């Protein structure tokens, strides 16, 4: 996958992807005709395949970073508890679901 790594600038601690970027700021790279997030491609090239249900997250929180040392695999439950821990216990949680009627949420 030399074509992938040619689009990654490894000059700094965060290795920034300089190819296509999606609407949310994440790097995109085509793999077998399908767009994949660049950081996921970097993780798979370094550590091997991961299940589609597993997310690859950034320790550095930089969306275009492809440094494998900054990436980790996480399940949905792990992500939930990380968000809970990061928010702290004093803060109210804003509703993230949709609305079916005024004041009633859906999951």
């Amino acid at each position: 996958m030399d074509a992938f790594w040619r689009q990654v600038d490894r000059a700094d601690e965060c290795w920034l992807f300089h190819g296509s970027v999606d609407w949310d700021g994440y790097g995109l790279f085509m793999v077998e005709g399908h767009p994949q997030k660049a950081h996921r491609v970097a993780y798979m090239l370094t550590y091997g395949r991961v299940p589609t249900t597993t997310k690859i997250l950034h320790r550095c929180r930089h969306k275009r970073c492809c440094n494998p040392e900054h990436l980790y695999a996480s399940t949905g439950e792990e992500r939930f508890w990380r968000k809970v821990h990061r928010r702290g216990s004093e803060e109210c949680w804003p509703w993230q679901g949709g609305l079916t009627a005024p004041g009633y949420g859906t999951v």
Side-chain angles (χ1 to χ4, degrees):
M1 279 281 190
D2 289 338
F4 172 77
W5 291 116
R6 280 195 298 269
Q7 296 184 60
V8 177
D9 179 4
R10 302 184 212 190
D12 293 316
E13 192 171 328
C14 282
W15 298 357
L16 301 185
F17 183 76
H18 290 288
S20 299
V21 177
D22 72 5
W23 63 273
D24 201 22
Y26 288 93
L28 287 178
F29 186 77
M30 296 296 282
V31 177
E32 298 175 355
H34 300 284
Q36 297 287 322
K37 301 239 179 186
H39 65 283
R40 185 175 183 88
V41 174
Y43 187 92
M44 290 190 305
L45 289 174
T46 305
Y47 303 112
R49 290 212 176 266
V50 292
T52 56
T53 56
T54 301
K55 298 283 186 184
I56 304 301
L57 304 177
H58 295 90
R59 287 187 176 93
C60 60
R61 305 189 69 157
H62 195 296
K63 293 179 179 183
R64 290 190 302 132
C65 181
C66 291
N67 183 341
E69 293 181 7
H70 292 191
L71 305 174
Y72 65 97
S74 180
T75 65
E77 185 176 351
E78 289 170 339
R79 287 192 311 278
F80 171 79
W81 288 112
R82 282 183 192 275
K83 285 182 182 179
V84 168
H85 179 71
R86 197 168 53 230
R87 285 183 192 266
S89 59
E90 301 295 320
E91 188 176 328
C92 291
W93 291 10
W95 177 250
Q96 299 295 318
L99 293 176
T100 56
Y104 294 95
T106 60
V107 178

